[in-house]
Amino acid sequence: MKLLFLFLAFFISVMMIIMSTNPILAKAPETVKIVFAANRIGNREIYLMNPDGSEQVNITRNKADDVTPAWSPTGESIAFSSNRDGILDLYLMDADGGNVRRMFGKSAQRADPTWSPDGKQIAYKRREQGKGFIYIATIESEKEERIAIGSGPDWSPDGNEIAFLTGFPERVQISILNISTHKQTVLFPKPVRPSWMGGGVAWSPSGKKLAFSWLHKAPLKDFIEMETVYTVNRDGTGLQQIIPEVGPKVTSPIWSPQGDELLYIQADDVHAALPINLQIFKIGMNGGEPTQLTHIGLGHHLGGWFDPAYALPVLPQPHLLTTTWGEVKKQ
């Protein structure tokens, strides 16, 4: 028995050393990073940058279009969409762009991934027969579950709900789906009237508010540039306009991990007449002037804001080994 214990101790020690030094293991960023997509070299790539817009780095470097990136809760992985295999589908990669792999063996038109807070599942939009549907799947699994009609899903911080957009093309509303019961309710706006929301909906870190862009002046086609960013409470009350309706249109808000700032997409002043020249801006929730973070490239798409101080702890494989060793000693 003593020899067995010595062998197990030696084995666990070796495994822990290997795991701590193996470069294959994914690592989360050690500093705050924003992930986004943009067309800067003739195709859309995925980039990382600091919250002030500095150190913008291309991490995909592929001839295909790579879009809709989303941080995993641990920051170790990024889910994204790419047409590198002929159809826009979902992929995973490490935080530095390495170890790219497909999520599903069977191809389908999938995009807009959002992670469950525990990092075990994703929700996403799957396009079928010209319509968008919200699906849920377990990471690295082939099993998919269709849960709703819509697009732009975002998983709530408590893991109990998914917010998404329904009612396309001219009666767009925010809907909430309860994960356990699959009950779906319309959150905002209550009246069914001409309404457009571009770029999805985003939960605040506390789960008490949602941010979205909204155009509600009819006819919609005459007021396209007046779409702007709002927030609303989880119960549908407390509508607050964050950015004035002065144009160009503002879409795709993303919260900072602290909930005190929003990122959003807007055409810059220099190229306002070119809607494709969308750039990334940042604004504080307490007011103040917005800051433009990107200045080059076309068609920017926001993915997410990762802060290691607010991240789900990295999967503790060495801790699991230690726990296993403790159980062996009890025996």
Side-chain angles (χ1 to χ4, degrees), residues 255-323:
W255 296 84
S256 68
Q258 299 90 337
D260 60 346
E261 294 179 297
L262 283 175
L263 300 177
Y264 60 90
I265 298 292
Q266 186 178 32
D268 63 20
D269 292 338
V270 178
H271 303 90
L274 300 174
I276 196 173
N277 197 70
L278 304 176
Q279 301 295 333
I280 298 174
F281 292 77
K282 178 175 67 173
I283 191 168
M285 293 301 295
N286 294 324
E289 292 297 315
T291 301
Q292 185 171 347
L293 301 184
T294 64
H295 298 80
I296 61 173
L298 304 173
H300 284 71
H301 177 98
L302 275 167
W305 191 326
F306 175 76
D307 186 338
Y310 292 82
L312 181 74
V314 175
L315 295 177
Q317 291 98 336
H319 169 71
L320 292 178
L321 285 172
T322 303
T323 302

Side-chain angles (χ1 to χ4, degrees), residues 10-33:
F10 174 77
F11 175 78
I12 291 171
S13 298
V14 170
M15 288 299 299
M16 293 182 69
I17 292 172
I18 291 174
M19 294 175 71
S20 65
T21 59
N22 192 337
I24 296 177
L25 292 178
K27 292 183 178 180
E30 296 180 354
T31 59
V32 184
K33 294 291 180 183

